[in-house]
Amino acid sequence: DSTVPGPAGDIAIRIYRPHSGPAPVHVHFHGGGWVLGNLVTHDADCREICAASGCIVVAVDYRLAPEDPFPAGAEDCYAVACWAAANGSELGAQQGPISIGGDSAGGNLAAAVALMARDRNGPAIAMQLLIYPVIDATMESESYRDNADGYLLSRTMMAWFWDLYCPDVDLRADPLASPITAEDLSALPPALVMTAEFDPLRDEGEAYAQRLKAAGVEVEVRRFDGLVHGFFSQAGIIEAAREGVDLAVKALRKAHNRAS
């Protein structure tokens, strides 16, 4: 456990190291609707990623809403990404770009950080791992209608999260809040987009993947049939969820090997 400087004070981080180093660096942003979650709630996910991918994982305890609404969380995540890229020697990292990723709201933050890194001239990013990401604040997709209730994450819960994270409705059209609204998605890092069949967020994640592809970004998109939102954290008890973890770490290894 450590801290790094942020735009509004120190940001808590947790660093996971594989048994052998130097290693590439992956910066991970937890889910929880920008309101819930911390370094403890996603500790197992980060351990899984570190052990299986061979990456040094930096987990980020970014500021949460409603005390710190948009864009506080995104700015914290970008600050840690910049720190991780600039302090490889302190982390014991090998040379090369970092990767970024997260689940749900963390996937939203990873997509936002990818946009920020492109538009702010760095840091270099090997790939973005978007696990059932929040991408579109409108909540008007078919999957929002079909999976509104009964599949863990509900439409009502998402509306509550958005109201706390970005209470100014007009700001929700900002690409750093709703990445799918960005006019230009070119020159972004390669992406793995993972969605779940019974998840309100399914369609927006897949729509974002298609927009990235159309902009010339290398994208792999995979829908996990039969699963609900949050499956990535259930790999210990759901065999199909283990496939998701395996896919994610394989993509991370591939991206870092190619970039090294």
Side-chain angles (χ1 to χ4, degrees):
D1 289 348
S2 187
T3 61
V4 301
D10 287 346
I11 303 167
I13 62 171
R14 179 169 290 175
I15 303 167
Y16 304 78
R17 292 185 173 88
H19 290 299
S20 59
V25 175
H26 175 71
V27 182
H28 204 72
F29 314 124
H30 68 77
W34 313 281
V35 177
L36 309 171
N38 52 44
L39 298 177
V40 175
T41 59
H42 286 63
D43 180 75
D45 288 3
C46 293
R47 290 176 184 270
E48 287 264 16
I49 293 170
C50 174
S53 71
C55 290
I56 297 165
V57 175
V58 179
V60 184
D61 197 19
Y62 55 87
R63 286 174 289 166
L64 298 176
E67 292 82 2
D68 293 290
F70 173 81
E75 293 291 352
D76 282 0
C77 291
Y78 177 69
V80 176
C82 291
W83 176 87
N87 290 272
S89 58
E90 180 178 339
L91 290 168
Q94 67 184 35
Q95 288 189 338
I98 65 170
S99 59
I100 56 174
D103 64 296
S104 193
N108 167 278
L109 294 167
V113 169
L115 288 166
M116 296 162 86
R118 181 197 64 183
D119 296 341
R120 300 180 185 182
N121 299 314
I125 296 174
M127 74 160 287
Q128 46 184 327
L129 173 62
L130 308 181
I131 305 168
Y132 33 81
V134 185
I135 294 295
D136 185 353
T138 62
M139 300 189 298
E140 294 178 350
S141 67
E142 181 178 344
S143 60
Y144 256 105
R145 295 189 293 271
D146 293 346
N147 304 322
D149 293 293
Y151 299 105
L152 186 67
L153 180 66
S154 69
R155 191 181 195 284
T156 299
M157 291 168 64
M158 279 306 306
W160 184 73
F161 287 139
W162 274 114
D163 285 345
L164 293 179
Y165 179 57
C166 196
D168 184 338
V169 176
D170 291 338
L171 276 180
R172 297 179 193 179
D174 188 311
L176 299 186
S178 295
I180 202 164
T181 65
E183 292 185 11
D184 179 13
L185 293 175
S186 64
L188 288 171
L192 169 61
V193 181
M194 300 164 61
T195 65
E197 179 181 9
F198 298 111
D199 183 354
L201 305 181
R202 182 195 68 210
D203 290 354
E204 64 197 70
E206 294 173 5
Y208 191 59
Q210 293 306 312
R211 283 225 36 221
L212 288 170
K213 285 183 180 180
V217 177
E218 181 182 339
V219 179
E220 181 179 2
V221 58
R222 168 80 180 275
R223 178 189 295 186
F224 286 81
D225 291 333
L227 296 183
V228 300
H229 190 83
F231 71 79
F232 194 87
S233 299
Q234 304 299 318
I237 56 174
I238 301 174
E239 184 176 350
R242 169 59 55 188
E243 296 178 19
V245 175
D246 292 344
L247 179 65
V249 298
K250 180 180 178 181
L252 286 171
R253 289 196 300 266
K254 177 182 176 182
H256 283 291
N257 287 338
R258 182 171 53 185
S260 63

